[in-house]
């Protein structure tokens, strides 16, 4: 566990935060559909990874308020990227499901972002690339804590 009273740990945490934020911003620019906000793309990614969900479940997973998620889902539905279906057990609720159009767009977006990252990584030497490969699972774990 980092000791934030220790100078080296403070510097490492600061460097990690800065690098992750900068890389994230650059990665967000590698989009296939510029009309979608990063939040809309994130919701589609969540649906792709977790399957269908109610707007309330999506709001929790995306850390937004339910009224905001209702608006996001409505925008995605208007763009033909999700469809709302009756909840199988609770008629008061709807279930949000991504469409084939959304899945195709996400696949192309992942391809484009992966290619961009691969081009960046091609500039690393073998030692740095090995370190990055080892760090990837740790970064993934941090992203899901």
């Amino acid at each position: 566990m980092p000791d934030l009273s220790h100078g080296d740990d403070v510097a490492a945490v600061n460097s990690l935060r800065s690098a992750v934020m900068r890389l994230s911003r650059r990665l967000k620019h590698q989009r296939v559909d510029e009309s979608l906000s990063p939040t809309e793309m994130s919701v589609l990614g969540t649906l792709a990874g977790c399957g269908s969900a109610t707007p309330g479940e999506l709001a929790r997973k995306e850390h937004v308020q339910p009224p905001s998620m209702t608006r996001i889902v409505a925008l995605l539905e208007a763009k033909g990227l999700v469809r709302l279906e009756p909840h199988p057990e609770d008629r008061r609720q709807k279930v949000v499901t991504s469409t084939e159009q959304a899945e195709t767009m996400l696949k192309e977006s992942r391809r484009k972002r992966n290619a961009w990252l691969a081009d960046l990584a091609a500039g690393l030497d073998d030692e740095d690339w090995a370190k990055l490969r080892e760090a990837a699972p740790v970064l993934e774990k941090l992203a899901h804590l």
Side-chain angles (χ1 to χ4, degrees):
M1 176 195 268
D3 178 0
L4 294 184
S5 65
H6 191 268
D8 289 343
D9 284 350
V10 170
V13 167
N14 188 53
S15 179
L16 178 62
R17 177 199 46 78
S18 177
V20 167
M21 289 178 66
R22 191 174 310 114
L23 189 58
S24 176
R25 274 195 305 272
R26 292 179 65 196
L27 196 55
K28 284 179 185 175
H29 290 291
Q30 305 302 314
R31 293 190 288 165
V32 171
D33 187 335
E34 295 289 328
S35 72
L36 295 178
S37 72
T39 303
E40 291 169 327
M41 286 294 293
S42 182
V43 169
L44 292 176
T46 296
L47 288 170
C50 299
S52 300
T54 66
E57 291 166 340
L58 285 172
R60 280 189 296 283
K61 289 178 183 190
E62 292 294 316
H63 305 285
V64 299
Q65 294 299 314
S68 296
M69 185 55 65
T70 299
R71 286 189 296 278
I72 293 165
V73 168
L75 289 169
L76 292 171
E77 184 181 29
K79 294 175 182 179
L81 298 171
V82 300
R83 64 181 173 276
L84 293 173
E85 300 168 337
H87 192 284
E89 299 165 9
D90 184 349
R91 293 179 188 258
R92 296 171 296 168
Q93 292 197 52
K94 298 285 184 183
V95 174
V96 183
T97 304
S98 63
T99 64
E100 190 173 314
Q101 178 184 346
E103 292 167 16
T104 300
M105 187 199 56
L106 282 172
K107 184 178 179 181
E108 177 59 22
S109 181
R110 279 191 293 274
R111 187 210 55 77
K112 183 177 180 181
R113 289 175 182 193
N114 286 347
W116 180 81
L117 277 173
D119 284 347
L120 279 183
L124 298 175
D125 61 30
D126 289 342
E127 183 179 339
D128 283 344
W129 175 235
K131 288 176 187 176
L132 188 57
R133 280 195 323 268
E134 287 180 25
V138 178
L139 292 170
E140 181 72 22
K141 184 176 182 178
L142 279 177
H144 293 286
L145 288 180

